[in-house]
Amino acid sequence: MTSAGQARSDEGDPDLRRRTIRWIVGLALVGLIFDGYDLVVYGTLVPIFLRDASHIGPVDPTLAGALGSYALVGVLVGALMAGSVADIVGRRKVMLTAYAWFSVGMIATAFTASAGAFGVLRFVTGLGVGALVATTGALVAEFAPPGRKNLCNAITYSGVPLGSLLAALLAILLLPVIGWRGMLLIGGLPLVTLLPLALLKMPESPAWLMSRGRVEEAERTERRCGIPLAEITARPTDSTTSDQEADGRPGFGGLFRHYLTPTILLGLMSAVGLLLVYALNTWLPELMGRAGFSTSGSLGFLLVLNGGAVLGALFASRLADRFGPKRVVAGSFAVGAVAIVLMTIDLPLGALMALVAIVGLGTSGTQILIYGFVATYYRTSVRSAGVAWCAGFGRLGGVGGPLVGGLMVASGLALDSIFYVLAALAVVGGLLTWVVPATHRPSVRRPATRDSAPAAGN
C-alpha cells in the first residue's frame, strides 16, 4: 500500500463512515421500534382482556399485571444471558438471533387461547427482546464517533418509545378491525423485513474484534466501514489500577471485578426507571379511562407520553454529550417527578397533554439516556455485559411496574395517590444517579502487528 493509501486508511473515509453509521443506527433503531412495540402493545390490549373473558379467559387487574410482567421476566433473563455471550461471541450474532427469536415469539403468542399459554409465550418472547436491548447499546457506542455517542444511542433507543407510540397509534386505528391477535402479528414482521437487511448491512464491531485479539479482522472492518484506525486504538478502557489494565477478562467476570459499586448503582437506577416506564405504559390508558376519558382518548395519552419521550431524549442527549450524561439523567428524573405531581391538578386538556409529554421525557426518555450513559461508562471487553446488567437487572423494576400498577388499581387507591407514588420513585431514581461514581478511562495501546511500527519521534 502506498504511503498516501496508508494515510487514507489510517484517517478513515468520512463519507463511507457516515453511510455505515446511518445503516447501523437505522437498523438498530428499527429493531428497538419493534422491541418497544412488542413490549407495550400488551398495555393497549389490557382493557379488552379485563372486560371480555372470551379471548383468553377471565382476567382481573391482578392477573393482568402478572401477564404484563411475564414478558419482562423474560427480558431480564434474556438480557443477562446475552450480556456475557455478546462479549464473548460478538454483538452481531446475538442481535441477529434476537430479531428472529422475538418475531417468532410474537407470532406464536397471537394464536394462544388461554391466559396460561399467553403468559408463557410472553416470557419466551421476552428472552429475545432482552437479548436485543442488552446488545444494541454496545454495538452503537462502538461505532459512534467521539462526541456523538450519547446522541447516537439516544436516536437508537428512541426506538423503544417510538414502538410504544406505534402500538398506541395502531391500536387506535386498527384494533377494532384486526383485533388483538392482529396487533400481535404485526410484532412478527422483523422476521421477513429487518432480519434479511441486518444480515447484509450490519457488521461486527471492530472494537470488540480488537478486544478479542482479532486484529486483522478489526482492520478489515475498519477499512470497510471508513473508521479511522487511530480511533479504535484509542478506545477508552477503565484503568484506575494497573491490575485493571492487565485484566481484560470479558463479560460479567470483568464487570464485577472492577465496577462493582457503580454497576450496582446503575442497575438500581435502571430498575427504578423501568418500573416507571412499564407502570405508565401498562396502566396509563386504564388510569385515564377512570379519570373520565374515552378509550381512544386514554390511548391518546399513551401516544403523547411516548412522543414526549422521543423528542425530549433527543434534545437531552445533546446536553449529555456536552455536559456528561450523569447530570442530565438526574435532571431528567427530577423533571419527570415534578410533571407527575402536576398531573394531579385539574387542568385544561391541552395543558394536561403537555404534562404527559414531559412525563414521557422524565420516564421513558430518561431510560433512553440511561442506556447511553451505561454504554459509554464501561470498557469494550465488558461493555455488553454492562448494558445487559442495566437492561436485565433493571427489568426487575420493569417486572414490578405492571404488578405495582395492578395492585394500586385493584386496591382502590385514589388516582392522585397513584401519581404521588410514581413521582416519589422518580425522585429515588434521580438520587441514585447522582451518587454513581465518576470513572477515569485513559486510552489503551493497540497490539503491535507486523505492519505497524512506532512513528519517529513518538
Side-chain angles (χ1 to χ4, degrees):
M1 180 182 290
T2 66
S3 59
Q6 180 66 55
R8 178 71 171 170
S9 175
D10 289 346
E11 294 172 5
D13 184 333
D15 292 335
L16 179 58
R17 184 178 193 180
R18 278 193 290 271
R19 290 195 297 271
T20 299
I21 292 173
R22 285 172 188 157
W23 269 108
I24 291 169
V25 172
L27 290 168
L29 170 65
V30 173
L32 290 181
I33 285 174
F34 279 102
D35 192 322
Y37 177 91
D38 290 352
L39 285 173
V40 175
V41 69
Y42 173 71
T44 69
L45 309 180
V46 166
I48 293 176
F49 294 153
L50 288 173
R51 291 167 176 78
D52 189 346
S54 67
H55 299 291
I56 58 172
V59 176
D60 59 21
T62 302
L63 178 57
L67 290 176
S69 295
Y70 291 156
L72 300 177
V73 174
V75 172
L76 185 157
V77 176
L80 293 179
M81 290 175 61
S84 260
V85 172
D87 279 329
I88 295 171
V89 306
R91 287 71 160 110
R92 182 177 185 271
K93 291 178 181 177
V94 173
M95 290 179 70
L96 295 177
T97 301
Y99 291 149
W101 188 290
F102 76 74
S103 298
V104 172
M106 286 294 287
I107 293 170
T109 307
F111 293 98
T112 57
S114 68
F118 187 94
V120 168
L121 284 172
R122 290 294 289 164
F123 169 81
V124 171
T125 303
L127 295 174
V129 172
L132 183 60
V133 173
T135 313
T136 298
L139 182 74
V140 171
E142 288 165 5
F143 274 101
R148 292 291 184 271
K149 295 185 184 298
N150 283 287
L151 177 61
C152 287
N153 259 295
I155 293 171
T156 301
Y157 279 97
S158 291
V160 177
L162 278 173
S164 305
L165 188 153
L166 181 65
L169 180 61
L170 292 181
I172 293 171
L173 298 176
L174 299 180
L175 184 55
V177 179
I178 64 176
W180 67 271
R181 298 183 192 276
M183 293 294 294
L184 294 177
L185 287 173
I186 290 173
L189 288 176
L191 188 64
V192 294
T193 55
L194 179 62
L195 181 60
L197 273 175
L199 282 167
L200 293 174
K201 293 292 187 178
M202 182 178 288
E204 183 56 88
S205 160
W208 176 81
L209 291 168
M210 188 66 66
S211 74
R212 303 300 291 169
R214 293 158 63 174
V215 177
E216 292 184 0
E217 289 180 68
E219 291 177 345
R220 286 197 300 270
T221 302
E222 289 164 341
R223 287 191 290 270
R224 191 169 66 250
C225 297
I227 300 174
L229 300 183
E231 185 178 312
I232 301 301
T233 63
R235 287 289 181 182
T237 183
D238 186 279
S239 56
T240 52
T241 69
S242 59
D243 287 342
Q244 254 176 282
E245 283 190 42
D247 184 1
R249 70 178 68 180
F252 289 106
L255 184 70
F256 288 107
R257 180 177 176 83
H258 301 309
Y259 295 92
L260 180 59
T261 298
T263 295
I264 291 172
L265 289 171
L266 289 168
L268 291 172
M269 178 181 71
S270 180
V272 171
L274 285 168
L275 193 155
L276 288 167
V277 168
Y278 287 104
L280 284 168
N281 276 287
T282 301
W283 288 104
L284 186 63
E286 181 67 17
L287 293 176
M288 301 315 289
R290 296 190 178 203
F293 293 92
S294 65
T295 299
S296 60
S298 60
L299 287 173
F301 282 104
L302 197 60
L303 200 69
V304 172
L305 178 80
N306 289 286
V310 173
L311 296 177
L314 291 177
F315 171 75
S317 68
R318 300 300 297 270
L319 299 178
D321 278 322
R322 183 174 179 181
F323 301 108
K326 176 178 172 177
R327 295 178 182 178
V328 178
V329 171
S332 184
F333 267 124
V335 168
V338 172
I340 292 171
V341 170
L342 291 177
M343 284 185 65
T344 63
I345 301 173
D346 188 12
L347 295 170
L349 180 59
L352 183 59
M353 285 288 193
L355 272 179
V356 171
I358 297 172
V359 171
L361 165 62
T363 54
S364 294
T366 303
Q367 194 63 32
I368 293 171
L369 298 172
I370 288 172
Y371 286 126
F373 183 13
V374 173
T376 56
Y377 191 88
Y378 296 107
R379 68 168 185 254
T380 300
S381 62
V382 299
R383 182 173 290 120
S384 189
V387 177
W389 172 259
C390 175
F393 182 83
R395 255 24 184 222
L396 290 174
V399 170
L403 286 172
V404 168
L407 291 173
M408 288 193 292
V409 170
S411 69
L413 194 64
L415 193 59
D416 287 358
S417 298
I418 293 175
F419 285 131
Y420 291 142
V421 171
L422 297 175
L425 289 168
V427 171
V428 172
L431 293 174
L432 286 168
T433 306
W434 199 251
V435 297
V436 173
T439 181
H440 174 61
R441 296 191 301 254
S443 61
V444 290
R445 296 185 181 274
R446 183 195 197 93
T449 67
R450 62 175 177 268
D451 297 323
S452 63
N458 283 351

